[in-house]
Amino acid sequence: MEKKYLYRTLRFFLVIGIVVLALLSFYYLSKVTYPFLIALVIAFFINPIVNIFEKKLRMPRGLAVFVAIIIIFAFVAGLVTLLVAELVSGANYLARVVPEHLDTLIGYIEEYITGQIIPFYNQLTSMFNQLEDGQQNTIISNIKNVGTTIGTNVGNFIQNLFGNIPVILSWFPNAASVLIFSFLATFFISKDWYRLSRISSSILPEKAKSSGKTVFVDLQKALFGFLKAQLTLISITTVIILIGLLVLRVDYAITIALITGIVDIIPYLGTGAVFVPWIIYEVIAGDISLAVGLGVLYLLVIVQRQVMEPKILSSNIGLDPLATLVALFVGFKLVGFLGLILGPVTLVIINTLYRANVFHDIWIFIKGKEV
């Protein structure tokens, strides 16, 4: 083998080793530094607001950071309070209405058991009595085995459920400590944002600095665009559901629309977690017209989500709609529900690195000076 090909092979494996080592280092370090990574992300997002307070309102940097954090916290707290108030109002309504619906459901079940289950049971009993003793014993043995298996599985589920309660309760103090450390770190990182940026710039070589700046700016635009796209999709879904529920004259349409819009964040399940059980119940309760209306509304929400998601994501994060659609599908197949978020984010990172000529520089390094 010629020396140039040997050197290219060595440089190729060197690049692969550095990438793998960097990913492993980030993975293991993030386990002990995640509060500060959260703080870094929060500081990154509030930095434009802090800059406005500092430059436009002539605030000291520390005061601007403090005010920005308080405003964001107050906004989130107000939103949560409004949502809780709507949920309490809706819960009071459900407390009045659910018993009536339960009576209807129980009446339907009683009629079904009387008209279908009992005659079928009598027919099975008659057929069972006509069997030989050995056949009867085999059937009884199989039924016992099935009952034992179901009982064991249910018992294990309940045991695991209650066994995990202490773990869940122990998570709250940890979450509180992480929240405190994250807010404190957010304040100090945002306060010294530009000083830390200068320190990191002085450490990096000039080539890495220029490429890093391009990557940072593109990622900033893409991440803000991704958040904007998700909020746009959720808002569209909420408005469509609200209009549909108002047309169907459903009580507490605002509360249901808000809850369903929030549930739409959950990948794959989304609004189906609300609509599917609701439609099934209305069919059982005999309100076919409402069930059909909800079914049409649910279908409309699904269609608009599938049609609008690639287009809105691509327009907000600067990606081709087909590439965005492929990223959504591949992400879902590889990772599952989380892949619907990680797929576009990964595509954004790859596209940003490509536009910053990072891949080109790596390829030049692998091929050597002859290129």
Side-chain angles (χ1 to χ4, degrees):
M1 182 183 291
E2 296 184 15
K3 283 188 176 181
K4 65 176 182 179
Y5 295 114
L6 177 62
Y7 291 151
R8 288 176 183 177
T9 303
L10 292 175
R11 285 192 289 265
F12 173 77
F13 284 108
L14 176 62
V15 170
I16 296 297
I18 291 173
V19 172
V20 171
L21 181 62
L23 291 175
L24 290 175
S25 300
F26 176 78
Y27 174 75
Y28 287 107
L29 286 175
S30 63
K31 288 185 175 181
V32 294
T33 60
Y34 63 90
F36 304 99
L37 294 177
I38 295 173
L40 181 62
V41 172
I42 296 174
F44 171 77
F45 282 112
I46 69 171
N47 193 55
I49 302 174
V50 175
N51 288 339
I52 292 174
F53 289 158
E54 183 182 16
K55 295 176 181 178
K56 301 293 184 180
L57 302 181
R58 306 290 183 179
M59 289 185 180
R61 180 75 183 182
L63 180 61
V65 173
F66 181 76
V67 171
I69 293 175
I70 292 298
I71 290 176
I72 293 174
F73 180 79
F75 174 76
V76 173
L79 190 62
V80 171
T81 302
L82 177 63
L83 182 60
V84 169
E86 286 290 332
L87 289 176
V88 170
S89 178
N92 291 331
Y93 167 76
L94 292 176
R96 296 193 306 269
V97 174
V98 165
E100 300 175 4
H101 291 318
L102 285 178
D103 290 339
T104 304
L105 184 61
I106 290 171
Y108 175 82
I109 293 173
E110 289 175 350
E111 291 178 3
Y112 183 78
I113 292 175
T114 304
Q116 302 292 332
I117 301 298
I118 292 178
F120 182 68
Y121 172 76
N122 292 332
Q123 185 180 359
L124 284 179
T125 303
S126 177
M127 294 174 59
F128 180 78
N129 291 330
Q130 295 175 5
L131 297 174
E132 298 178 358
D133 293 339
Q135 293 174 327
Q136 291 181 1
N137 292 332
T138 301
I139 294 174
I140 293 173
S141 176
N142 289 332
I143 292 174
K144 287 182 179 179
N145 290 335
V146 171
T148 302
T149 303
I150 294 175
T152 302
N153 291 333
V154 172
N156 291 335
F157 173 77
I158 294 174
Q159 183 179 1
N160 292 332
L161 178 64
F162 285 101
N164 288 327
I165 289 178
V167 178
I168 296 173
L169 293 177
S170 65
W171 179 81
F172 286 101
N174 180 63
S177 63
V178 168
L179 190 63
I180 293 172
F181 276 103
S182 296
F183 270 110
L184 290 175
T186 299
F187 176 80
F188 290 113
I189 291 174
S190 184
K191 180 177 178 293
D192 297 327
W193 181 266
Y194 292 105
R195 185 177 68 85
L196 295 174
S197 299
R198 287 193 297 270
I199 292 174
S200 61
S201 298
S202 63
I203 296 174
L204 295 173
E206 195 63 34
K207 181 64 178 177
K209 191 188 303 182
S210 60
S211 298
K213 184 177 180 180
T214 303
V215 171
F216 178 81
V217 172
D218 285 351
L219 277 179
Q220 186 178 27
K221 292 179 181 177
L223 289 175
F224 276 107
F226 183 76
L227 290 177
K228 180 182 176 182
Q230 292 299 326
L231 290 175
T232 302
L233 289 168
I234 293 170
S235 300
I236 293 173
T237 299
T238 303
V239 170
I240 291 175
I241 293 173
L242 177 60
I243 295 173
L245 295 180
L246 291 174
V247 171
L248 295 172
R249 297 181 179 179
V250 175
D251 294 326
Y252 290 91
I254 296 177
T255 302
I256 297 173
L258 287 174
I259 294 173
T260 311
I262 294 172
V263 172
D264 192 43
I265 298 174
I266 303 174
Y268 192 69
L269 288 178
T271 54
V274 175
F275 274 103
V276 172
W278 192 2
I279 293 170
I280 293 173
Y281 170 77
E282 295 300 339
V283 171
I284 293 174
D287 195 347
I288 303 299
S289 60
L290 181 57
V292 172
L294 292 174
V296 172
L297 179 59
Y298 178 44
L299 183 62
L300 180 62
V301 169
I302 292 177
V303 170
Q304 73 83 20
R305 179 80 183 195
Q306 298 302 318
V307 172
M308 298 295 293
E309 185 169 19
K311 181 176 179 58
I312 291 177
L313 282 175
S314 62
S315 61
N316 279 279
I317 61 182
L319 297 175
D320 183 75
L322 178 60
T324 306
L325 189 62
V326 172
L328 288 168
F329 181 78
V330 173
F332 173 71
K333 285 295 183 181
L334 293 178
V335 187
F337 300 153
L338 190 60
L340 295 175
I341 297 176
L342 293 180
V345 171
T346 303
L347 184 61
V348 166
I349 294 173
I350 293 174
N351 186 58
T352 301
L353 294 176
Y354 173 77
R355 287 194 291 183
N357 291 323
V358 173
F359 296 130
H360 179 265
D361 294 340
I362 292 174
W363 181 244
I364 293 297
F365 170 75
I366 291 174
K367 295 190 72 174
K369 297 181 180 179
E370 299 175 343
V371 177

